[in-house]
Amino acid sequence: MEPSMPCCAPVAGQTTHPREVPAPSPVAIDHDEVALPGGTFLMGDAFGEGYPADGETPVHPVRLAPFPMDATAVTVAMFEEFTRAGGYRTDAERAGHSAVFRLAVAATRADILGFDPDLPWWATVAGADWRHPFGPLSRAEPGHPVVHVSWNDAAAYCAWAGRRLPTEAQWEYAARGGLPQRRFAWGQDLTPGGRWMCNIWQGSFPHDNTGEDGWLATAPVRSYPANGYGLYEMTGNVWEWCADWFSATSYADSARADPQGPPAGERKVIRGGSYLCHDSYCHRYRVAARSAGFPGSSSGNCGFRTAGLS
């Protein structure tokens, strides 16, 4: 099966609410960033394992200037500081609902508004948002990555925090951790020595998760070993928004130095895969894998990490 959209990125939920521009925070929030050295790396899928519609080829050299990037995804606790400072309401809160994985729903039957016709393991749940990741009967854990944030929400957070979303090229360079032409952030094997190195699905997707890695849904940040650059959970756990517009053909004519992606588009790049990825359906937990979502869409497995302005 070769889906044009991943199991863990429902296309429903796009919103058109006007966005307020948050005032910059007067106090810098701690982002525990890592200074990445930059340099030239080979970007793209060297193993021919990507879905054609994702546009992971051709493999091409990219040169990046040094840049700082968060060691972890933005957490619930960090995002709460943002919303408390200016009363920001996310796209999911404005819409009154968001997408939740069916087996994780914590809501009454009345709150389940329906299921995605193409991806029936996704439920549209009233009251699902960053504070209530599985529905109104759940409560977000402070140390977990924040989810149910759209690209719009992530960009608003960055404007407040004096940060930015990484470019797609920066994200892939960071995820590789200094290892050239490897499948994963730690090397070639998914489970070296039988050890799970990331939070993805184990079992038969989407009906049975054996939970061998300890988690049905999100894991707290720093649950798995950091890669060679000191970055955590660049693979699995939650998808992460990037700054770039998505195009399946962008690699063919991408700039070779500090590429910014296409000038326009309909969807924004997401990277890294999530706790729902499984090689039987969506093996987008490889460092070269890419996908996309609408800027106003949200789900229970998509978050973000930020990069520094310099």
Side-chain angles (χ1 to χ4, degrees), residues 192-254:
R195 181 184 184 187
W196 284 101
M197 302 292 286
C198 64
N199 180 15
I200 57 175
W201 187 276
Q202 298 93 40
S204 176
F205 184 84
H207 305 293
D208 177 39
N209 189 340
T210 62
E212 292 174 24
D213 63 1
W215 307 97
L216 172 65
T218 59
V221 300
R222 295 185 174 86
S223 289
Y224 297 87
N227 72 2
Y229 287 147
L231 306 175
Y232 295 84
E233 287 88 47
M234 295 297 291
T235 296
N237 214 24
V238 297
W239 284 99
E240 297 181 4
W241 291 108
C242 293
D244 307 38
W245 290 108
F246 175 84
S247 167
T249 60
S250 61
Y251 283 12
D253 57 4
S254 175

Side-chain angles (χ1 to χ4, degrees), residues 98-190:
S98 191
V100 178
F101 178 59
R102 189 171 191 156
L103 296 186
V105 169
T108 65
R109 185 177 297 273
D111 289 324
I112 302 174
L113 305 181
F115 296 91
D116 189 303
D118 299 314
L119 307 172
W121 44 87
W122 281 109
T124 300
V125 178
D129 55 42
W130 71 270
R131 290 186 178 90
H132 310 94
F134 310 116
L137 301 182
S138 65
R139 178 64 63 177
E141 296 290 336
H144 283 238
V146 68
V147 292
H148 296 291
V149 287
S150 68
W151 186 94
N152 297 329
D153 301 329
Y157 174 94
C158 287
W160 171 80
R163 309 286 293 174
R164 62 178 177 84
L165 291 173
T167 67
E168 182 178 18
Q170 288 175 332
W171 193 98
E172 183 170 323
Y173 167 85
R176 290 186 177 278
L179 298 177
Q181 301 295 277
R182 299 294 192 272
R183 285 185 175 88
F184 307 114
W186 54 87
Q188 285 293 88
D189 298 327
L190 180 60

Side-chain angles (χ1 to χ4, degrees), residues 3-132:
S4 60
M5 290 293 290
C7 55
C8 27
V11 297
Q14 187 180 17
T15 61
T16 57
H17 299 297
R19 310 306 305 165
E20 68 266 30
V21 178
S25 172
V27 179
I29 187 170
D30 182 12
H31 273 260
D32 189 21
E33 67 182 17
V34 175
L36 300 178
T40 299
F41 78 107
L42 292 175
M43 183 173 180
D45 171 27
F47 302 99
E49 297 172 331
Y51 302 113
D54 289 351
E56 295 179 23
T57 56
V59 175
H60 56 288
V62 172
R63 186 173 70 255
L64 296 175
F67 65 97
M69 189 168 176
D70 291 349
T72 74
V74 171
T75 65
V76 170
M78 294 164 71
F79 198 77
E80 184 173 21
E81 287 192 45
F82 162 54
T83 60
R84 189 163 43 206
Y88 183 86
R89 296 180 67 228
T90 62
D91 278 325
E93 289 172 294
R94 291 171 172 230
H97 57 78
S98 191
V100 178
F101 178 59
R102 189 171 191 156
L103 296 186
V105 169
T108 65
R109 185 177 297 273
D111 289 324
I112 302 174
L113 305 181
F115 296 91
D116 189 303
D118 299 314
L119 307 172
W121 44 87
W122 281 109
T124 300
V125 178
D129 55 42
W130 71 270
R131 290 186 178 90
H132 310 94

